[in-house]
């Protein structure tokens, strides 16, 4: 029987090295106590922020000192918790870290309301008197921009203190889906038993035996049906939290509040949704091509992940995947390539799935640590592309930290999802141009088409769903599991018109953790659009375009995201990058159709 291993069964070299943050849990506890004892130092500046330039600089530097250490404390606890979500000790550490972060933010919540007493001329005068404050000019601009949506110091403190409990819906959902839910064991066609998990569900949906795929699909979604009311209540409260926080900050909608944070115009969201809806014929063409390739009368939901080649595809070991990825990023420059290779050799990556491990994948880390990448590697092409994706995030962070001071090293998700998808696109191009194995080439092409489908189209469908359920809440409508089902099914039917829907797919919304991230998912779709445009420029113009792209990554958060992408040569306020990406998708569909005909 194929079972998910325990954490203790994973080889050390295949795990990330958290001792690079703290050597052990005792050191973490010491850091926690130290920072907890210093939080009150921040409160000493309340009422004095604009007293004089020197006082303001003192506070900003103290805030940086404390928040950098809080970030390390939070990162260590969160990563330990992700290793095994069943471990109560690390769950407790993570909760303590969240409380510490919330308390620190609360202690300095007066800063921005007091800063907003200044106007632009006051800020210029402060900078002239204390030149070091020039390092914060973009920060000051951002703070003053948010003046209409910032409340009094007292209200801001309350909102900051509520940050810990405001994430309760997401925390509960995460524990339910990652730790408490146990999925059935099914028998493969060869007689081997395999336990379904969040990590392997998609891989199992790529098995060539259609009846096996159907059984996995049905048992997986039947398990979700057993927690239907719990997940529905969790998502309802998460949406209502978004709405109430937006209203507390004088925004008309939760979407405007979410997009105003990174200063992304709402029109960017609408343009994405409208442009994708206008081009659903391309997605329908993909579905029809897959139906014909699989030789089925109608495409069912358990066929969607199946390769058009008709089989699961060749195994790609983790070691082989890293070789392909390092070679693929060569167009981004030797220094970028060397850094990817060094990171892979330095235990950035927690490679394989283990029982209780958080599902999915992510890249994490702080200004003062190395990157940390969580994987649930499955020895397949999809996992290889996911690794390339997360390495894009990690290298983005490294380049931004190299070039920027702490206050600008972080960057918005809007830009982050470009960096990750550039790596995926370069990997596709490299493999299609260099490998001689025809079977692997076809699977690579199929994988990229699938990632296009799931990133541009599927994430836009998610974004539309997210918008619709928030609008229901904003109109004081009832958000029930039935309403979620109805809304989701309507979109699924439009996006997958050539396929046959069934009742189980209506509840797919239940397994998507990103719906708890407050208008997050649309950025995957804008990200792939920008990434395709950037890669096209790099492949055509060479080092000049690569240099512009690296410059954009190095900007971190020192400019607004729309301006950062303009540095890389992409205008995301127009529909052009989205239409261009869909044109590339159509071109790859043509190539796949030709290969299938052969």
């Amino acid at each position: 029987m194929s079972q998910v291993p325990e954490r203790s069964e994973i080889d050390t070299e295949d795990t990330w090295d958290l001792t690079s943050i703290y050597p052990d849990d005792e050191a973490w506890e010491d850091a926690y106590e130290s920072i907890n004892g210093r939080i009150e130092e921040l409160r000493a500046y309340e009422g004095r922020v604009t007293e004089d330039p020197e006082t303001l600089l003192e506070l900003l530097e103290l805030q940086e000192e404390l928040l950098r250490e809080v970030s390390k404390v939070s990162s260590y606890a969160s990563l330990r918790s992700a290793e095994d979500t069943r471990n109560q000790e690390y769950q407790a550490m993570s909760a303590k870290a969240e409380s510490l972060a919330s308390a620190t933010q609360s202690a300095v919540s007066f800063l921005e309301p007091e800063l907003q007493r200044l106007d632009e001329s006051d800020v210029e005068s402060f900078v002239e008197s204390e030149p070091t404050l020039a390092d914060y000019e973009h920060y000051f601009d951002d703070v003053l921009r948010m003046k209409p949506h910032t409340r009094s110091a007292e209200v801001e403190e309350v909102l900051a203190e509520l940050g810990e409990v405001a994430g309760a819906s997401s925390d509960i959902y995460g524990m339910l889906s990652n730790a408490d839910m146990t999925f059935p064991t099914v028998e493969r066609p060869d007689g081997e038993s395999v336990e379904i998990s969040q990590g392997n569900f998609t891989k199992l949906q790529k098995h060539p035996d259609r009846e096996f795929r159907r059984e996995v699909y049905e048992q997986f979604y039947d398990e979700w049906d057993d927690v239907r009311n719990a997940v529905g209540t969790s998502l309802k409260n998460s949406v209502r939290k978004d709405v109430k926080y937006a209203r507390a900050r004088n925004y008309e909608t939760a979407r405007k509040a979410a997009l105003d944070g990174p200063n992304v115009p709402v029109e960017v969201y609408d343009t994405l949704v409208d442009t994708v809806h206008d081009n659903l014929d391309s997605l329908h063409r993909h579905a029809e091509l897959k139906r014909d390739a699989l030789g089925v009368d109608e495409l069912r939901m358990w066929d969607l992940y199946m390769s058009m080649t008709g089989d699961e595809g060749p195994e790609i070991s983790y070691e082989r995947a890293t070789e392909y990825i390092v070679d693929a990023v060569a167009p981004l420059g030797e220094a970028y390539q060397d850094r990817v290779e060094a990171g892979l050799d330095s235990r950035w990556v927690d490679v394989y799935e283990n029982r209780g491990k958080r599902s999915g994948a992510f890249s994490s880390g702080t200004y003062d640590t190395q990157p940390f990448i969580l994987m649930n590697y499955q020895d397949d092409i999809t996992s290889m592309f996911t690794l390339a994706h997360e390495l894009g995030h990690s290298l983005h962070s490294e380049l931004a930290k190299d070039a920027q001071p702490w206050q600008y090293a972080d960057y918005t998700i809007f830009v982050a999802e470009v960096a990750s998808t550039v790596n995926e696109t370069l990997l596709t191009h490299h493999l299609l141009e260099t490998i001689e194995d025809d079977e692997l080439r076809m699977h690579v092409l199929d994988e990229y088409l699938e990632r296009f489908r799931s990133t541009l189209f599927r994430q836009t469908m998610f974004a539309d769903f997210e918008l619709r359920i928030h609008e229901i809440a904003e109109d004081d409508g009832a958000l029930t599991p039935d309403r979620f089902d109805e809304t989701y099914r309507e979109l699924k039917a439009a996006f997958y018109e050539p396929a046959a829907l069934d009742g189980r797919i209506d509840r797919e919304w239940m397994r998507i953790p990103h719906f708890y991230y407050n208008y997050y998912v649309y950025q995957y779709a804008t990200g792939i659009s920008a990434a395709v445009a950037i890669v096209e420029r790099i492949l055509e113009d060479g080092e000049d375009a690569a240099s512009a792209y690296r410059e954009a990554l190095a900007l971190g958060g020192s400019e607004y995201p729309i301006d950062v992408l303009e540095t890389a040569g992409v205008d995301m306020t127009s529909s052009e990058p989205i239409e261009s990406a869909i044109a590339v998708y159509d071109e790859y569909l043509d190539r796949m159709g030709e290969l299938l005909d052969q």
Side-chain angles (χ1 to χ4, degrees):
M1 176 178 172
S2 176
Q3 290 184 319
V4 179
E6 293 291 341
R7 180 76 181 175
S8 58
E9 298 177 86
I10 304 294
D11 291 338
T12 300
E13 59 265 27
D14 292 325
T15 64
W16 49 29
D17 180 17
L18 299 189
T19 62
S20 62
I21 309 178
Y22 298 112
D24 50 41
D25 294 350
E26 285 187 12
W28 177 89
E29 189 69 39
D30 290 343
Y32 170 87
E33 293 296 340
S34 174
I35 205 71
N36 193 40
R38 297 189 60 195
I39 291 176
E40 289 303 312
E41 292 180 28
L42 293 166
R43 296 189 190 279
Y45 288 86
E46 187 168 2
R48 301 176 53 214
V49 173
T50 61
E51 185 177 279
D52 54 58
E54 292 75 22
T55 300
L56 174 57
L57 181 60
E58 283 178 12
L59 172 57
L60 291 172
E61 290 178 341
L62 175 62
Q63 177 186 238
E64 174 181 343
E65 180 185 354
L66 299 189
L67 287 182
R68 284 173 70 165
E69 194 61 38
V70 167
S71 293
K72 289 174 62 181
V73 167
S74 297
S75 181
Y76 182 88
S78 175
L79 294 173
R80 283 295 187 204
S81 173
E83 292 176 349
D84 187 347
T85 58
R86 304 167 303 168
N87 187 308
Q88 295 302 302
E89 179 184 351
Y90 288 134
Q91 293 304 319
M93 285 175 60
S94 184
K96 285 178 63 175
E98 287 180 12
S99 295
L100 182 68
S102 180
T104 308
Q105 293 293 345
S106 175
V108 77
S109 59
F110 60 85
L111 171 58
E112 294 186 3
E114 290 190 33
L115 268 178
Q116 287 168 349
R117 297 173 186 169
L118 304 176
D119 57 29
E120 290 184 11
S121 62
D122 295 327
V123 171
E124 290 174 1
S125 176
F126 268 47
V127 171
E128 185 176 345
S129 177
E130 176 52 78
T132 306
L133 289 174
D135 293 339
Y136 296 87
E137 284 184 317
H138 178 70
Y139 168 72
F140 295 146
D141 180 74
D142 204 28
V143 170
L144 296 182
R145 179 180 67 83
M146 300 298 288
K147 187 181 292 190
H149 304 289
T150 304
R151 304 294 299 274
S152 67
E154 293 78 11
V155 173
E156 286 295 330
E157 182 173 6
V158 171
L159 292 174
E161 289 180 345
L162 287 174
E164 182 181 357
V165 295
S169 292
S170 178
D171 291 343
I172 291 168
Y173 173 80
M175 291 303 296
L176 178 68
S177 61
N178 291 313
D180 291 344
M181 289 183 71
T182 301
F183 294 95
T185 295
V186 293
E187 188 174 295
R188 295 181 188 268
D190 61 7
E192 182 183 12
S193 296
V194 59
E195 180 184 358
I196 303 171
S197 70
Q198 290 270 57
N200 70 11
F201 171 71
T202 300
K203 180 178 175 63
L204 295 177
Q205 288 289 277
K206 297 177 181 180
H207 194 283
D209 188 287
R210 197 181 192 209
E211 181 60 25
F212 175 72
R213 296 200 304 271
R214 182 194 62 78
E215 182 182 5
V216 170
Y217 169 86
E218 291 180 353
Q219 295 220 35
F220 181 76
Y221 280 111
D222 285 349
E223 195 69 30
W224 281 106
D225 195 43
D226 289 343
V227 293
R228 172 182 179 77
N229 292 316
V231 176
T233 301
S234 183
L235 183 56
K236 175 192 71 175
N237 286 318
S238 180
V239 170
R240 292 201 177 281
K241 176 262 297 181
D242 297 340
V243 172
K244 290 184 181 297
Y245 264 72
R247 288 174 178 170
R249 294 194 177 282
N250 302 316
Y251 284 101
E252 294 178 11
T253 67
R255 183 173 64 151
K256 286 186 177 179
L259 270 65
D260 196 34
N263 200 19
V264 174
V266 170
E267 291 74 22
V268 171
Y269 199 104
D270 291 332
T271 297
L272 169 69
V273 172
D274 292 344
T275 303
V276 169
H277 271 283
D278 289 344
N279 288 276
L280 285 179
D281 56 327
S282 294
L283 179 62
H284 298 163
R285 181 180 164 214
H286 189 175
E288 290 164 353
L289 190 63
K290 178 169 292 192
R291 179 194 62 207
D292 295 343
L294 297 180
V296 296
D297 291 335
E298 59 180 1
L299 197 70
R300 302 303 298 262
M301 292 299 99
W302 49 85
D303 299 322
L304 288 183
Y305 292 99
M306 186 59 195
S307 168
M308 284 188 278
T309 64
D311 58 52
E312 292 181 276
E315 286 193 359
I316 304 290
S317 70
Y318 176 74
E319 291 72 20
R320 191 73 181 108
T322 60
E323 293 172 4
Y324 282 140
I325 292 168
V326 170
D327 290 342
V329 298
L332 299 182
E334 185 177 350
Y336 185 103
Q337 186 181 37
D338 289 346
R339 199 148 188 178
V340 169
E341 188 169 22
L344 290 168
D345 291 338
S346 302
R347 292 180 60 196
W348 285 6
V349 186
D350 202 81
V351 183
Y352 298 110
E353 182 180 18
N354 60 255
R355 192 174 293 276
K357 186 176 179 180
R358 176 173 162 173
S359 62
F362 63 71
S363 172
S364 184
T366 77
Y367 192 74
D368 297 301
T369 71
Q370 67 177 50
F372 297 96
I373 297 174
L374 180 138
M375 290 287 298
N376 284 276
Y377 198 86
Q378 297 289 322
D379 285 337
D380 57 16
I381 291 176
T382 297
S383 293
M384 174 175 64
F385 271 84
T386 300
L387 178 60
H389 180 105
E390 300 305 337
L391 281 165
H393 289 314
S394 296
L395 265 292
H396 188 178
S397 295
E398 291 291 275
L399 293 177
K401 287 192 295 185
D402 287 348
Q404 300 297 334
W406 170 81
Q407 63 268 24
Y408 298 141
D410 203 6
Y411 46 83
T412 67
I413 299 299
F414 192 86
V415 177
E417 292 308 329
V418 176
S420 56
T421 316
V422 162
N423 273 19
E424 291 183 29
T425 307
L426 285 171
L427 177 60
T428 303
H429 180 268
H430 169 72
L431 292 174
L432 291 178
E433 294 299 318
T434 61
I435 58 177
E436 298 180 358
D437 184 333
D438 288 342
E439 180 189 9
L440 181 54
R441 285 170 54 81
M442 184 172 284
H443 278 282
V444 167
L445 185 54
D446 183 79
E447 174 67 24
Y448 192 59
L449 284 170
E450 281 300 298
R451 296 188 87 84
F452 237 113
R453 175 187 71 81
S454 62
T455 306
L456 183 55
F457 290 97
R458 190 166 188 255
Q459 300 298 334
T460 300
M461 182 183 72
F462 288 168
D464 202 351
F465 175 75
E466 191 172 10
L467 175 59
R468 294 185 188 199
I469 62 177
H470 277 81
E471 287 177 339
I472 291 170
E474 286 159 351
D475 290 337
D476 296 321
L479 286 175
T480 64
D482 286 347
R483 192 68 180 273
F484 288 134
D485 283 355
E486 175 189 337
T487 305
Y488 194 85
R489 183 181 182 86
E490 181 181 341
L491 285 166
K492 196 77 174 183
F495 274 70
Y496 292 92
E497 186 179 280
L501 274 63
D502 63 89
R504 288 181 175 86
I505 202 62
D506 295 356
R507 63 189 80 132
E508 187 178 34
W509 58 269
M510 296 176 64
R511 76 178 189 93
I512 311 300
H514 295 83
F515 290 148
Y516 295 84
Y517 298 174
N518 192 16
Y519 287 103
Y520 178 101
V521 293
Y522 84 97
Q523 295 164 116
Y524 287 114
T526 55
I528 192 172
S529 302
V532 169
I534 288 168
V535 170
E536 291 293 304
R537 292 186 70 235
I538 291 172
L539 295 178
E540 182 176 339
D541 299 336
E543 174 55 25
D544 287 345
S547 176
Y549 171 65
R550 294 194 305 270
E551 180 183 349
L553 296 184
L555 286 172
S558 64
E559 294 185 13
Y560 295 118
I562 296 295
D563 299 327
V564 169
L565 292 183
E566 282 187 1
T567 300
V570 179
D571 178 12
M572 289 308 300
T573 63
S574 75
S575 63
E576 191 278 330
I578 305 162
E579 293 168 345
S580 176
I582 293 173
V584 171
Y585 179 65
D586 282 329
E587 178 186 338
Y588 278 113
L589 285 173
D590 289 340
R591 293 179 65 175
M592 192 64 177
E594 292 171 1
L595 287 172
L596 290 170
D597 287 342
Q598 293 174 11

